[in-house]
Amino acid sequence: VYNMELTLPIFGGIIAGYAVRRIINWLSIDGYVISSKDPSIELIGVASWSWAFLNLPLTEAILFSSIVIVLAGIAFVDFKTFQIPLIFILIGLGLALFGIVMDVIYISSALWGVFVGALIPLMIMGLLWMITKRQGMGFGDIQMGVVLGAWLGPTRMAITLFSASVLSLLTWIGVSIITDFDKDRAMPMAPFLSIAGTGTYVGSFYYPEFFHLLILQ
């Protein structure tokens, strides 16, 4: 039975990763495609599906593993092209709606999560534009914030935004040290949002008391 419980998620993860890779290659944004010899996206699918189906109730496992592989697809494309495919945003919104219908996501939590994940960054982006005439985040990142916010809720979304900002800053510093300092160097935000969002969700599973404490505060 245990082997079957592990085999099915592994198979599902491979199929999900393969499907995302096919979509990426079909879009071919700026000519970017993932080679059939590169198993990275499939391995992410296997890891996310295996963890989810071994630790979460069935509906939550389906939602988690599906959203994570979609986030991975967004991260891969944004890292190479600085663009976020709309099709992945729409799939993510569909998955969030699935979570609401199946009572995995409370609609009030989803709405507050969208406020934290999209509306607040949008207001900050507008303020920065008025002051500096520079756009700190792209609208694709805002759309991604809608998906993440609906999925994670307000508390975990706030932690995700903070963690992604810290990760991007540390990466920018590291790249600047290795190469050269360039204050205008752009960093794709989607990979950091994907990593931070997934990590925050997993963290809330293992340390629910910490997140409960944040909510009470």
Side-chain angles (χ1 to χ4, degrees), residues 84 89 108-125 137-162 164-165 189 193:
I84 295 179
I89 297 296
S108 59
S109 174
L111 292 174
W112 279 112
V114 169
F115 177 76
V116 173
L119 294 182
I120 290 179
L122 187 61
M123 288 186 290
I124 294 173
M125 188 174 75
M137 294 180 68
F139 286 105
D141 298 321
I142 301 298
Q143 294 170 350
M144 193 173 175
V146 173
V147 175
L148 283 170
W151 174 47
L152 296 171
T155 302
R156 291 185 295 192
M157 188 64 227
I159 295 173
T160 295
L161 284 174
F162 175 77
S165 299
M189 197 63 184
L193 286 171

Side-chain angles (χ1 to χ4, degrees), residues 60 63-65 67-68 71 92 95-96 104-105 109-110 113-114 145-153 156-157 194 197-199 201-202:
E60 288 185 46
L63 182 62
F64 172 86
S65 54
I67 285 184
V68 168
L71 292 177
L95 290 170
V104 176
I105 299 173
S109 174
V114 169
V146 173
V147 175
L148 283 170
W151 174 47
L152 296 171
R156 291 185 295 192
M157 188 64 227
S194 299
T198 303
Y201 187 100
V202 174

Side-chain angles (χ1 to χ4, degrees), residues 14 179 211:
I14 293 173
T179 56
F211 287 84

Side-chain angles (χ1 to χ4, degrees), residues 39-209:
S40 300
I41 197 98
E42 283 86 355
L43 291 176
I44 293 172
V46 169
S48 61
W49 279 63
S50 298
W51 181 84
F53 281 87
L54 289 176
N55 291 283
L56 301 174
L58 179 60
T59 307
E60 288 185 46
I62 293 172
L63 182 62
F64 172 86
S65 54
S66 300
I67 285 184
V68 168
I69 196 64
V70 167
L71 292 177
I74 292 174
F76 273 64
V77 175
D78 190 48
F79 180 75
K80 290 292 186 179
T81 69
F82 285 87
Q83 297 184 61
I84 295 179
L86 180 60
I87 186 172
F88 285 138
I89 297 296
L90 295 176
I91 293 173
L93 290 174
L95 290 170
L97 181 60
F98 164 79
I100 292 172
V101 171
M102 299 301 292
D103 289 328
V104 176
I105 299 173
Y106 295 112
I107 190 166
S108 59
S109 174
L111 292 174
W112 279 112
V114 169
F115 177 76
V116 173
L119 294 182
I120 290 179
L122 187 61
M123 288 186 290
I124 294 173
M125 188 174 75
L127 181 62
L128 287 175
W129 171 257
M130 287 189 293
I131 296 173
T132 66
K133 301 304 180 183
R134 296 181 63 181
Q135 186 173 319
M137 294 180 68
F139 286 105
D141 298 321
I142 301 298
Q143 294 170 350
M144 193 173 175
V146 173
V147 175
L148 283 170
W151 174 47
L152 296 171
T155 302
R156 291 185 295 192
M157 188 64 227
I159 295 173
T160 295
L161 284 174
F162 175 77
S163 301
S165 299
V166 171
L167 285 173
S168 64
L169 176 61
L170 292 176
T171 302
W172 186 88
I173 292 172
V175 171
S176 296
I177 293 174
I178 294 173
T179 56
D180 61 319
F181 176 78
D182 181 3
K183 65 181 180 65
D184 294 323
R185 176 181 286 112
M187 298 292 293
M189 197 63 184
F192 303 109
L193 286 171
S194 299
I195 293 170
T198 303
T200 299
Y201 187 100
V202 174
S204 70
F205 174 82
Y206 287 109
Y207 304 101
E209 300 86 358

